[in-house]
Amino acid sequence: MKNSGGGAAHGDGGDIYNVRAAEILANEALLLPINEAAPIYENLLATFPTAAKYWKQYVEAYMATNNDEAAKQIFSRCLLNCLHISLWRCYINFIRRINDKRGSEGLDETKKAFDFMLNYVGNDAASGPVWMEYINFLKSMPVVTPHEESHRMTTVRKVYQKAILVPTNHVEQLWKDYENFENSVSRTLAKGLLSEYQPKFNSAKAVYRERKKYIDDIDWNVLATPPTGSYKEEQQCMAWKRLLVFEKGNPQRIDATTANRRITFTYEQCLMYLYHHPDIWYDYAMWHVKNGSMDSASKIFQRALKAIHDSEVLKYAFAEMEESRGAIQTAKTVYESLLGENASETSLANIQFIRFLRRTEGTEAARKYFLDARKSPSCTYHLYVAYATMAFCVDKDAKVAQSVFEAGLKRFMHEPGYILEYTDFLCRLNDDRNVRALFERALSLLPPEESTEVWRRFAQFEQNYGDLSSMLKVEQRRKEALSRTSEDALSASENTLHDIVSRYSYMDLWPCSSKELDYLARQEWLAKNIVKKVEKPAMLNSGSMLDKGAAGFSASARLLPQSAKVVRPETSQMVIYDPRQMKGPEFAATSSGYTKEVEATLKVLSPSMVSFIKNLPAIEGPSPDIDVVLSVLLQSTLPVAQSAGKAGGVSELSGVGKTGLNQNGSVHRPPRERRKDVERQGAQEEEDASAVQSRAAVPRDIFRLRQIQRSRGLGVGGAAVSQSGSSAFSFSGGGSAFSGDHSASTD
């Protein structure tokens, strides 16, 4: 596979960040003469500018041909952006080689190069060998006079004392060498110096042990690519963030200047691998702001926008920081760059720029810019709404605001969102006549399929501010209009008790109980499907059906499964079980730390249920909502084997049997034992059991399991739950460490 230098590491589909293709090109370049390999390296490094291994490979190719000038140029381009110890050691070897034959002048240049190197990478946990190499170099420098000898000893001592304060992989060896050095110079002086630096060395050694735990989680060979959301990438991000938190905590309790240099070094190393992650750049800049270094933060933002030139959020953050410190012109330049780069989608940038102009230059400047911006073909209704709202709320000018809304109405009458914003504004003015006129005008022009929300808001307006006649009239018109978009026009136009509930509820106040609300929702669903033979069971919405405060009462949003169908899991959304997951917490009926109620509940559980609880894995991914699972069970009629009816008794799955098993596999126990178990259950279980007597015959073990989970704050799989039993995690697609990319990351 040869590359003539016409492009970067392109993979399938033109992906320039194809890591596999980049590795193939880099390996190919090793086999080519440097004049042929140079274009390949340049293309690779244009895509991966922080790839220390490619820079090192590139410069070593020139060093092999003794092209020192070219090597110097490459080092000048990469060293400060790639704080990788192997690249810097390559640099110091290059400097020593070219200065070895230059005598004392060459030695001075080499010493300066060592100081330069350790100033940048001396805090690296792997920099121990570099400190030792520098000390040996200093010891080998020739001296003639006693004064030069004394100066050399002083220099070596200072370097030792710096080296033993850095938590590196060779800190213990450096301490032993320092002890020998001081004892060889003066045992009397050594005693005082060693006793002074012993605690500092011990602290550095202890911090290195802790530091190593974080460093070992980092992969130092990955290339910097834009975020993909893969499992491995997320793990690397978290590993770097943990290391940053560790360094910010200043565990060694060193002075602020040294600690800040160490944190800066860690950020710079992190950005070698997370170069395209905007949150790392922002965190780095804000850390400088917190320390009062606004100029440094500004430089970080400039570097960030060079790395991620299309990041709008970083530009807004940069402009905000500059405005906050009074650099208005710089902030304005950033806004102008936003407007220039997003010529096709500028509504948001225009809105934010108008707000910026009003804050910094006044109302007139904002008005002039709005008049120009609204002429753009890409202008959307959001610009009119934003400017009108600003005029009304900030400038206290209702006439200007209404004029803007009216001007926009000529252009955006077909936009339901604009209609609703305008009606909200008119409601603030208490102009109910124009509100109704606007609703009527809009609904006469909007197609039925786009008018659903406008009708809903019209009905809501009449419910809140109209009389009974107008309210009922609008409700009926709404039903008739929307029934044209429904397959079942007859049922859509029917009046139901559901309408009364919707009409007489307010915010999170409802004219019925949770039980009634659940019943009405199910009856409406059944009524809509009474003519149809629905084969696929409807899925429950995320969240409990009984949560009355969730986003309003909508019949279409409260679908329930048919009671005659068993709800099956959607296997395409399942997360693959990872056998590396840790085992969950151990449960035992006699373990300490449980309440008396929980201990009593555990004692009456069947052995199979206790075994099930013990083997629940402690996962970090999503876990099901217990209330939803129970609701599915309660709404489903599970098939019952015929043999179950011939057993001649009720299955007691919740107790340990003494006389054997029934034919259906349940434990048969004497009536006296069952009565004792019932007495132990407590008031809460009785309440739960009575709530489901009219539904399905669900084993009481489910409710005991739920009670245990609530009392221990656990969800299914060990996830934390709230006091209501709902899981703290959800089935969202991207929030879990065990995401869809997890299986690919284990290759």
Side-chain angles (χ1 to χ4, degrees):
M1 174 181 175
K2 289 193 175 183
N3 188 311
S4 61
H10 288 269
D12 297 336
D15 179 15
I16 64 171
Y17 295 104
N18 189 312
V19 174
R20 185 177 178 185
E23 292 292 341
I24 293 172
L25 286 174
N27 292 332
E28 178 187 348
L30 283 172
L31 307 176
L32 298 174
I34 185 57
N35 60 332
E36 295 181 26
I40 297 178
Y41 285 124
E42 289 294 340
N43 287 326
L44 281 172
L45 293 167
T47 305
F48 304 103
T50 58
K53 59 182 179 181
Y54 293 160
W55 284 111
K56 183 172 180 287
Q57 189 174 316
Y58 189 15
V59 77
E60 284 177 342
Y62 275 116
M63 290 168 60
T65 60
N66 293 319
N67 191 338
D68 295 342
E69 286 303 316
K72 286 180 182 179
Q73 288 296 322
I74 294 173
F75 278 127
S76 67
R77 291 167 57 191
C78 68
L79 283 178
L80 298 185
N81 292 326
C82 298
L83 302 184
H84 197 284
I85 201 71
S86 64
L87 178 63
W88 281 80
R89 293 194 74 177
C90 177
Y91 161 73
I92 204 66
N93 292 335
F94 170 73
I95 294 296
R96 295 192 71 172
R97 181 177 64 79
I98 65 176
N99 286 300
D100 273 349
K101 299 178 181 179
R102 297 179 58 198
S104 60
E105 185 180 349
L107 291 175
D108 287 339
E109 289 296 322
T110 302
K111 182 179 181 300
K112 289 178 182 178
F114 266 115
D115 289 333
F116 173 69
M117 176 182 180
L118 290 169
N119 183 54
Y120 279 94
V121 296
N123 281 306
D124 196 306
S127 65
V130 180
W131 286 101
M132 297 176 74
E133 184 181 352
Y134 185 29
I135 291 169
N136 291 331
F137 167 76
L138 292 174
K139 289 179 178 179
S140 66
M141 291 183 69
V143 292
V144 178
T145 65
H147 176 72
E148 291 177 346
E149 172 68 19
S150 175
H151 178 71
R152 183 179 68 174
M153 289 299 178
T154 302
T155 305
V156 171
R157 177 179 289 114
K158 288 181 179 178
V159 175
Y160 264 126
Q161 290 172 352
K162 285 183 179 179
I164 60 176
L165 296 181
V166 182
T168 66
N169 50 355
H170 284 64
V171 67
E172 292 187 64
Q173 183 62 47
L174 283 163
W175 174 253
K176 292 177 182 177
D177 292 348
Y178 178 51
E179 283 183 315
N180 295 333
F181 168 76
E182 291 292 2
N183 286 320
S184 67
V185 175
S186 170
R187 287 187 173 275
T188 305
L189 182 62
K191 188 175 181 181
L193 288 172
L194 294 176
S195 62
E196 177 186 350
Y197 278 88
Q198 177 84 45
K200 297 178 181 179
F201 155 70
N202 289 335
S203 177
K205 183 173 67 172
V207 168
Y208 171 69
R209 290 173 182 168
E210 289 297 315
R211 196 185 198 188
K212 188 175 184 299
K213 296 176 184 177
Y214 297 100
I215 291 173
D216 287 346
D217 290 336
I218 295 171
D219 186 348
W220 299 89
N221 293 312
V222 297
L223 295 174
T225 61
T228 61
S230 68
Y231 176 74
K232 182 178 180 181
E233 181 185 89
E234 289 178 351
Q235 293 299 99
Q236 287 300 295
C237 288
M238 295 310 299
W240 276 109
K241 289 178 180 179
R242 284 192 292 265
L243 178 60
L244 284 165
V245 170
F246 173 75
E247 295 293 357
K248 287 178 182 179
N250 191 7
Q252 203 171 336
R253 300 297 181 263
I254 51 181
D255 62 277
T257 302
T258 307
N260 287 342
R261 288 180 62 187
R262 193 172 290 178
I263 295 168
T264 299
F265 168 77
T266 307
Y267 268 116
E268 293 291 343
Q269 272 202 328
C270 175
L271 288 169
M272 288 174 58
Y273 304 94
L274 304 181
Y275 187 67
H276 299 279
H277 290 242
D279 56 324
I280 303 297
W281 286 105
Y282 179 75
D283 190 47
Y284 191 13
M286 289 300 102
W287 175 75
H288 278 297
V289 170
K290 186 177 180 181
N291 289 334
S293 183
M294 304 294 281
D295 290 337
S296 297
S298 181
K299 291 177 182 178
I300 297 301
F301 272 122
Q302 291 171 17
R303 288 172 55 195
L305 294 176
K306 184 179 178 182
I308 321 173
H309 59 85
D310 59 346
S311 175
E312 291 185 37
V313 68
L314 279 179
K315 290 181 181 179
Y316 285 122
F318 185 21
E320 179 183 277
M321 189 211 72
E322 294 292 355
E323 183 184 351
S324 68
R325 67 168 181 157
I328 304 301
Q329 190 55 47
T330 305
K332 190 172 183 179
T333 303
V334 177
Y335 276 113
E336 288 170 348
S337 72
L338 267 167
L339 293 166
E341 292 177 5
N342 299 288
S344 60
E345 299 177 0
T346 56
S347 284
L348 179 60
N350 279 323
I351 291 168
Q352 298 302 337
F353 190 45
I354 287 172
R355 292 175 175 175
F356 168 78
L357 288 174
R358 195 201 171 281
R359 291 194 302 266
T360 58
E361 298 181 20
T363 304
E364 187 60 26
R367 187 185 70 84
K368 287 181 179 179
Y369 186 80
F370 166 71
L371 294 176
D372 290 336
R374 69 175 185 169
K375 298 174 184 177
S376 170
S378 60
C379 173
T380 63
Y381 73 85
H382 306 84
L383 181 65
Y384 282 81
V385 173
Y387 186 73
T389 304
M390 185 177 70
F392 179 60
C393 297
V394 182
D395 299 331
K396 314 299 181 185
D397 195 334
K399 290 184 179 179
V400 170
Q402 189 159 5
S403 297
V404 172
F405 271 119
E406 282 295 328
L409 200 61
K410 300 173 184 177
R411 189 172 175 181
F412 302 111
M413 178 59 82
H414 63 285
E415 293 282 357
Y418 188 76
I419 302 300
L420 296 177
E421 291 290 343
Y422 193 8
T423 56
D424 284 346
F425 168 74
L426 292 174
C427 286
R428 295 181 190 178
L429 297 181
N430 295 324
D431 192 352
D432 60 315
R433 178 187 295 180
N434 279 327
V435 170
R436 290 187 174 92
L438 179 59
F439 273 127
E440 296 289 356
R441 184 179 172 190
L443 290 169
S444 66
L445 298 174
L446 286 172
E449 59 272 10
E450 295 181 13
S451 64
T452 304
E453 185 61 21
V454 179
W455 273 113
R456 189 187 73 80
R457 293 284 287 275
F458 191 12
Q460 189 178 50
F461 174 80
E462 292 295 348
Q463 289 170 11
N464 291 332
Y465 309 112
D467 54 30
L468 182 60
S469 175
S470 64
M471 177 172 63
L472 296 176
K473 192 178 296 183
V474 169
E475 283 281 356
Q476 188 60 33
R477 288 175 57 199
R478 174 193 177 198
K479 285 177 174 292
E480 292 173 357
L482 297 183
S483 66
R484 302 169 198 162
T485 63
S486 172
E487 295 179 7
D488 189 1
L490 181 62
S491 64
S493 61
E494 289 287 335
N495 291 318
T496 66
L497 193 58
H498 221 277
D499 301 328
I500 300 297
V501 171
S502 177
R503 205 174 292 154
Y504 288 92
S505 60
Y506 184 75
M507 297 176 68
D508 60 343
L509 305 176
W510 298 82
C512 59
S513 65
S514 297
K515 186 176 180 180
E516 289 174 312
L517 188 63
D518 192 17
Y519 169 80
L520 291 175
R522 178 160 184 82
Q523 292 305 313
E524 176 155 332
W525 186 88
L526 291 172
K528 284 187 177 181
N529 295 275
I530 195 168
V531 184
K532 307 174 187 177
K533 295 182 178 180
V534 181
E535 297 298 331
K536 293 184 179 180
M539 295 298 294
L540 280 171
N541 286 335
S542 59
S544 173
M545 283 298 301
L546 303 181
D547 183 8
K548 295 193 293 185
F553 185 89
S554 173
S556 61
R558 295 181 177 275
L559 299 180
L560 291 174
Q562 287 179 285
S563 59
K565 295 288 290 182
V566 177
V567 178
R568 307 290 181 185
E570 190 175 351
T571 56
S572 63
Q573 300 296 322
M574 287 185 174
V575 177
I576 298 174
Y577 175 72
D578 185 354
R580 296 176 298 174
Q581 297 172 22
M582 298 183 300
K583 191 176 180 181
E586 291 291 336
F587 284 80
T590 58
S591 62
S592 60
Y594 292 103
T595 61
K596 293 181 179 180
E597 292 79 3
V598 174
E599 286 186 356
T601 304
L602 285 170
K603 288 178 182 178
V604 299
L605 287 177
S606 65
S608 58
M609 184 61 71
V610 173
S611 176
F612 168 72
I613 295 173
K614 285 184 177 181
N615 287 282
L616 287 176
I619 61 173
E620 297 179 1
S623 58
D625 189 316
I626 299 171
D627 287 329
V628 173
V629 174
L630 290 176
S631 181
V632 170
L633 292 173
L634 295 173
Q635 296 293 341
S636 303
T637 302
L638 301 177
V640 181
Q642 293 182 357
S643 59
K646 301 176 182 179
V650 178
S651 170
E652 281 291 339
L653 299 179
S654 58
V656 179
K658 296 183 179 180
T659 61
L661 298 174
N662 290 327
Q663 294 179 12
N664 61 357
S666 61
V667 182
H668 177 70
R669 307 182 67 196
R672 181 178 301 173
E673 292 292 327
R674 291 200 295 269
R675 282 198 300 271
K676 290 181 180 179
D677 289 343
V678 171
E679 292 171 358
R680 294 192 192 103
Q681 290 171 6
Q684 180 62 40
E685 183 182 353
E686 291 176 0
E687 205 172 342
D688 287 338
S690 63
V692 298
Q693 284 178 355
S694 62
R695 296 180 181 267
V698 181
R700 283 178 292 174
D701 281 2
I702 293 177
F703 296 98
R704 293 198 181 98
L705 175 60
R706 182 178 180 184
Q707 185 180 18
I708 294 170
Q709 288 167 331
R710 282 178 170 177
S711 64
R712 290 184 56 82
L714 296 176
V716 177
V721 295
S722 63
Q723 291 181 355
S724 64
S726 299
S727 173
F729 297 91
S730 64
F731 286 104
S732 59
S736 168
F738 293 94
S739 60
D741 293 318
H742 174 67
S743 58
S745 66
T746 58
D747 291 342

